[in-house]
Amino acid sequence: MRDNSRIIRPAGRPFNGEITVPGDKSISHRAVMFGAIAKGTTRIRNFLMGADCLSTIDCFRRLGVQIDVEAAPGQVTVHGRGLRGLKGQQEPAVSIVLDTGNSGTTTRLVSGILAGQDFPSLLSGDASLNTRPMKRIMEPLSQMGARIRSVNGNGCAPLAIEPGQLHGIHYTTKVASAQVKSAILLAGLYADSPTSVTEPALSRNHTELMLKGFGADVSSIINEDGTATASIRPCRELFAQDIVVPGDISSAAYFIAAALLVPGSSLLIKNVGINPTRAGFLSVCRDMGGDITLLNERQAGGEPSADLLVKHSSLHSVTIEGGLIPTLIDELPMAAVLAAFADGTTVIRDAAELKVKESDRIATVTANLRAMGCDVTPTDDGMIIRGGKSLHGAVLDSYLDHRIAMSFAVAGLAAGGETRIRNANCVDISFPGFYDYFN
Ligand code: S3P
């Protein structure tokens, strides 16, 4: 087998200068999906050419949508087929088979769309994806009248979806999940009455913002008790849009952390999406004492962005909990690494969702931090990190989880000695060329 380990050595010098990070993964997925079911031609700029988003393109091409990709400038043109124009197999009883790769977003959101089609389909992903929980979408979609089942009866993909008449529901989710919320809202486009979803705290709202741009009747409110409700009315058609994808704050997080940790650094990260439902990592870094300035704040297509000036800072511990968690769910591994270098004891709680990501991130972060000499205790819904001791280089695994590979590459830059990350190429899922940025 090809060795795809990466050696990371301590950063010999500060991170200075300017960088841009690739386009936002969540927004890139949605732009293709909504473009595919809209009328007209959707043009997307700064699309993320990561493996997950390419899985989404591949699925919609199979569903009969012409999608032109110019990889170098990150330009994607989606020739929409309208809300009811997707195509199944020629033989109506035969399911169209879609490969969603490693992508939870593709699997869950596309399920919502497929539930409303008049042809059968089968969705399946890679070994990791096929162990991730899908009951969370099967339950509400079934309540809407969808005929969706887990082929192996274990609540995971492969998922078989057959045509069914959808009805609007009012659904309350147990976890704040944008993927679950989005699957329900997308199915709601095809229902015969309005649909709403209430979640315990507001998760990322890219679906609501972008669907509104495409002409859907969507609204959202934060309730008095802190829960959040998004509602959608059935829709006749969506209409194509031009979309400029901002840089991904989840990818920027690694460089924010590197600049905070490496002495002498002063790094300008240009054009980063700062939607408040995604920007929890910025507030946590600032609460830890991180020197981050937002410059040139602007809006494009309902999504705010800014340039971030990040300077080396000495960090102290924080508590990360509650409604903040969904706003930095993908950045918690990076936040845990920062906490290991920060003075004092950091507590992360209310984050049991970490267990059902691309790896069990409570277990994988704990294993790698311990290997580097950090005193960390995993809990049922987070971890306790006793920081402030210097960490040493170690042999680590990515556990085939892109965010674990990148978070610990940054840990390796700030630790003493050499770090080896096994299975390091999985960064291509969300950040192709990640390691080259450090050179
Ligand atoms: C995503 C939502 C999040 C996040 C994932 C992308 C999205 O998952 O972890 O990487 O694009 O909607 P959940 O909404 O399930 O927490």
Side-chain angles (χ1 to χ4, degrees), residues 81-147:
R81 295 188 56 90
L83 210 52
R84 289 180 170 76
L86 297 179
K87 285 204 282 206
Q89 295 283 28
Q90 271 191 339
E91 182 64 55
V94 179
S95 296
I96 182 133
V97 178
L98 303 175
D99 179 1
T100 57
N102 191 245
S103 176
T105 307
T106 311
T107 309
R108 297 197 176 104
L109 272 61
V110 169
S111 294
I113 293 173
L114 291 174
Q117 308 304 316
D118 59 4
F119 55 82
S121 49
L122 185 81
L123 278 96
S124 185
D126 67 11
S128 151
L129 189 280
N130 287 355
T131 62
R132 296 180 65 188
M134 294 297 153
K135 266 198 190 129
R136 49 179 63 195
I137 56 157
M138 289 165 58
E139 233 170 65
L141 293 177
S142 302
Q143 280 186 27
M144 294 178 81
R147 294 164 62 207

Side-chain angles (χ1 to χ4, degrees), residues 75 81 98 136 153 183 202 228 243 250 252 263 278 317 420 432-433:
Q75 204 148 307
R81 295 188 56 90
L98 303 175
R136 49 179 63 195
L202 181 61
I243 291 171
S250 299
R278 291 286 300 284
S317 59
R420 175 187 290 267

Side-chain angles (χ1 to χ4, degrees), residues 130-369:
N130 287 355
T131 62
R132 296 180 65 188
M134 294 297 153
K135 266 198 190 129
R136 49 179 63 195
I137 56 157
M138 289 165 58
E139 233 170 65
L141 293 177
S142 302
Q143 280 186 27
M144 294 178 81
R147 294 164 62 207
I148 177 168
R149 78 191 157 84
S150 158
V151 170
N152 298 324
N154 60 355
C156 300
L159 298 175
I161 303 176
E162 286 178 53
Q165 174 55 54
L166 302 187
H167 315 289
I169 56 168
H170 302 287
Y171 193 77
T172 301
T173 62
K174 290 190 200 76
V175 290
S177 162
Q179 295 183 354
V180 173
K181 172 176 64 178
S182 302
I184 300 169
L185 293 176
L186 287 166
L189 289 171
Y190 296 93
D192 55 13
S193 54
T195 293
S196 66
V197 191
T198 297
E199 47 181 354
L202 181 61
S203 65
R204 65 190 67 189
N205 63 356
H206 306 302
T207 295
E208 298 91 302
L209 294 176
M210 199 186 290
L211 274 180
K212 201 173 278 176
F214 275 82
D217 186 351
V218 200
S219 58
S220 41
I221 51 162
I222 306 286
N223 302 302
E224 265 173 28
D225 60 357
T227 62
T229 302
S231 311
I232 195 162
R233 289 179 176 280
C235 171
R236 247 186 241 287
E237 279 302 355
L238 299 176
F239 299 96
Q241 295 294 297
D242 285 346
I243 291 171
V244 183
V245 181
D248 196 327
I249 191 166
S250 299
S251 299
Y254 307 110
F255 297 95
I256 295 172
L260 290 176
L261 290 176
V262 176
S265 297
S266 175
L267 185 66
L268 184 66
I269 311 173
K270 297 196 80 174
N271 186 32
V272 181
I274 53 161
N275 179 321
T277 64
R278 291 286 300 284
F281 186 71
L282 294 182
S283 26
V284 164
C285 288
R286 283 171 155 172
D287 287 351
M288 294 177 101
D291 182 348
I292 303 176
T293 312
L294 300 193
L295 302 168
N296 194 15
E297 286 187 54
R298 54 206 182 267
Q299 289 266 345
E303 291 283 353
S305 61
D307 304 333
L308 310 182
L309 178 62
V310 188
K311 295 185 178 164
H312 168 252
S313 309
S314 65
L315 302 177
H316 54 77
S317 59
V318 284
T319 297
I320 312 174
E321 62 186 347
L324 194 59
I325 294 292
T327 69
L328 81 161
I329 187 71
D330 292 340
E331 290 69 71
L332 284 172
M334 190 67 262
V337 167
L338 280 180
F341 289 97
D343 277 336
T345 299
T346 289
V347 177
I348 301 175
R349 60 166 81 99
D350 304 322
E353 276 297 291
L354 287 175
K355 293 183 192 163
V356 293
K357 295 296 179 187
E358 286 83 332
S359 68
D360 172 347
R361 289 181 179 161
I362 294 181
T364 54
V365 167
T366 299
N368 281 347
L369 280 180

